[in-house]
Amino acid sequence: MKNFSYQNPTRILFGDGQIAAIATAIPTEARIMLVYGGGSIKNNGVYDQIIAALGDRIVSEFSGVEANPEYTTLCKAADQAKQDNIDFLLAAGGGSVIDGTKFIAAAACFEGDRWDILLKGGRNIEQALPFGSILTLPATGSEMNSGSVVNRSEIKAKMPFGNPLCYPQFSVLDPTTTLTLPTRQLTNGIVDPFVHVIEQYLTYPVGADLQDRLAEGILQSIIATGPKALAQPDNYELRANIMWCATMALNGLIGNGVPQDWSTHMIGHELTALYGLDHAQTLAVVLPANLRVRKQAKHEKLLQYAERVWNITAANHEGTDDDRIEAAIVKTEQFFIDVGAPTRLQNYNLGDEAIAAVINQLERHKMVALGESRDVTLAVSREILTAAL
Ligand code: NZQ
Ligand code: ZN
């Protein structure tokens, strides 16, 4: 196991009715700005619960944070926060709103060109406003991590950043808020956490037995509950399990002391920036192809994944190691398809021209040595995209 340092300061307030707890979780004297998206919180009662909990304590509101939050919108929000002397942000929504709020928190305190925050991956953040979140779409893990992804469509760039100052102070996870999710977003909430786990687990062995078994547990739980949640859209327990899986998939715990890949995500971000696919949709397309192209380097972990997650063992499955690995990749693909996420570029009417465009973007963004061994060069990314056609 590699050395690691781990501290996750986010307090989780989990369960039905927990939005009321923000009344005590936010400091009494705080000047609060409520940040939200396109209005889903007004249609599902979340906004009313927030107002009921905080009463007249909300100083200002900023709405209209887009899915794949836009840099220019977030800069306007940061200006508003400065103007209103805000000292606490409250995000209410999915990953985009929480990611956006992280950027607003940093940008409101940042001197100089705010785009530098993205160019430096957040390493230049020295101060950020404190914030909390109310999660309404479990998928990204943003509610309990310090990372964020910001989109700047004018230059077709979707860039990640992170900083320890960008952990939410608290996050409310009330599964009832997810009952209004459209099927497409529920699908995203199954696929994205699944791939988060894979990016931290399916690399090469370093003897991190607990991290492996936690990762396998989350994958098995997502496989067991995801399809049921789609079939039973009113089931609270299933939503609760999906929500907690999504948080645990990317709050740092399973990534401690292990190599991490993230090449599927980086290639996927370019597909979103260029063609507007949902984040999770890009992952379902890139991951199976990525595993196929890099099955040599990931050989041992792929066999472990086949055996422990899909029960494909030498005893119950005829053929070679490679056959079992391919069977596990086929299972993964079928799982994505079953929960409503197609696995091919052609499902989105994308062909060879898209491959050239993505490679061009990866080069522009210096994504030329991705993966746990930095061996995913542009040539390998091209191979992956070709395998995903
Ligand atoms: O804007 P509103 O009106 O709120 O509607 C949203 C949005 O249109 C809607 N929605 C959210 N909760 C709802 C709801 N509709 C009905 N009922 C509810 N309860 O869903 C739509 C999509 O929301 P969005 O926040 O964009 O989705 P998601 O949570 O999947 O976030 C995706 C973003 O997170 C980034 C992605 O790149 C993408 O930009 N990621 C962030 C990560 C992180 N911070 O660690 C890691 C991830 O890998 C990912 O890259
Ligand atoms: Zn993701």
Side-chain angles (χ1 to χ4, degrees):
M1 200 187 306
K2 298 177 173 201
N3 291 3
F4 64 87
S5 154
Y6 183 52
Q7 181 176 27
N8 190 317
T10 303
R11 173 175 165 203
I12 296 295
L13 297 155
F14 193 98
D16 188 5
Q18 287 281 32
I19 292 176
I22 62 174
T24 48
I26 301 176
T28 334
E29 301 306 320
R31 292 178 59 83
I32 307 164
M33 182 162 99
L34 173 65
V35 182
Y36 56 99
S40 71
I41 64 163
K42 291 218 165 154
N43 300 328
N44 62 10
V46 168
Y47 180 85
D48 293 340
Q49 289 183 63
I50 294 170
I51 298 300
L54 294 180
D56 52 14
R57 282 172 62 195
I58 287 187
V59 176
S60 66
E61 290 185 20
F62 187 92
S63 64
V65 175
E66 307 85 350
N68 306 309
E70 277 293 337
Y71 174 74
T72 42
T73 305
L74 303 176
C75 286
K76 280 186 204 145
D79 291 341
Q80 184 178 320
K82 277 175 83 166
Q83 208 169 1
D84 295 349
N85 286 320
I86 295 300
D87 55 22
F88 198 97
L89 303 173
L90 179 61
S96 294
V97 169
I98 302 175
D99 279 10
T101 301
K102 291 176 182 179
F103 186 79
I104 299 166
C109 308
F110 193 78
E111 302 294 335
D113 182 0
R114 289 160 171 169
W115 187 242
D116 274 347
I117 296 176
L118 282 315
L119 292 179
K120 300 256 160 53
R123 289 182 299 278
N124 50 353
I125 295 171
E126 288 172 3
Q127 225 186 320
L129 296 177
F131 67 98
S133 90
I134 296 166
L135 178 70
T136 65
L137 196 181
T140 64
S142 189
E143 66 279 8
M144 201 179 177
N145 69 38
S146 58
S148 165
V149 192
V150 171
N151 197 39
R152 192 172 184 180
S153 43
E154 45 183 319
I155 55 167
K156 296 206 183 304
K158 191 172 186 221
M159 311 271 280
F161 78 94
N163 188 287
L165 292 167
C166 295
Y167 278 100
Q169 291 205 338
F170 64 82
S171 284
V172 175
L173 275 58
D174 176 348
T176 63
T177 66
T178 74
L179 294 170
T180 54
L181 282 173
T183 310
R184 170 170 148 195
Q185 299 302 343
L186 184 53
T187 295
N188 291 342
I190 294 165
V191 173
D192 194 19
F194 190 96
V195 180
H196 291 161
V197 176
I198 294 280
E199 299 260 38
Q200 299 163 89
Y201 159 76
L202 227 168
T203 57
Y204 55 84
V206 289
D209 188 64
L210 177 62
Q211 290 89 323
D212 278 5
R213 290 185 192 275
L214 288 169
E216 288 152 2
I218 298 169
L219 292 174
Q220 284 172 314
S221 184
I222 294 172
I223 292 165
T225 49
K228 283 192 211 154
L230 283 161
Q232 302 171 42
D234 299 330
N235 189 315
Y236 174 89
E237 288 305 333
L238 293 169
R239 295 297 170 115
N241 279 290
I242 288 197
M243 204 165 203
W244 192 223
C245 279
T247 302
M248 292 298 288
L250 196 51
N251 65 0
L253 184 65
I254 66 168
N256 284 323
V258 300
Q260 301 191 16
D261 185 341
W262 298 110
S263 59
T264 294
H265 267 71
M266 294 309 129
I267 297 170
H269 286 166
E270 303 300 356
L271 282 167
T272 299
L274 284 169
Y275 304 109
L277 270 67
D278 288 351
H279 171 64
Q281 292 175 334
T282 71
L283 305 177
V285 168
V286 178
L287 181 76
N290 196 344
L291 295 179
R292 283 204 174 91
V293 167
R294 295 165 64 215
K295 67 179 177 191
Q296 224 65 48
K298 292 178 180 288
H299 184 87
E300 278 186 69
K301 279 313 242 335
L302 273 166
L303 277 178
Q304 181 178 323
Y305 169 67
E307 180 167 335
R308 293 199 196 163
V309 176
W310 294 108
N311 194 28
I312 300 167
T313 65
N316 69 20
H317 197 276
E318 283 183 16
T320 62
D321 284 3
D322 264 8
D323 294 332
R324 294 204 299 285
I325 285 171
E326 177 57 24
I329 297 172
V330 169
K331 284 271 191 193
T332 309
E333 259 171 342
Q334 197 54 51
F335 176 67
F336 290 161
I337 292 166
D338 289 348
V339 298
T343 56
R344 296 282 163 177
L345 284 170
Q346 56 183 292
N347 297 123
Y348 297 97
N349 296 321
L350 298 176
D352 289 325
E353 70 300 331
I355 298 180
V358 169
I359 296 299
N360 194 17
Q361 288 274 96
L362 286 169
E363 186 167 22
R364 212 153 62 86
H365 297 142
K366 303 191 177 69
M367 301 285 175
V368 295
L370 301 173
E372 62 271 25
S373 306
R374 322 293 296 156
D375 57 356
V376 181
T377 58
L378 290 179
V380 177
S381 289
R382 186 187 298 278
E383 231 184 299
I384 291 167
L385 288 160
T386 306
L389 269 176

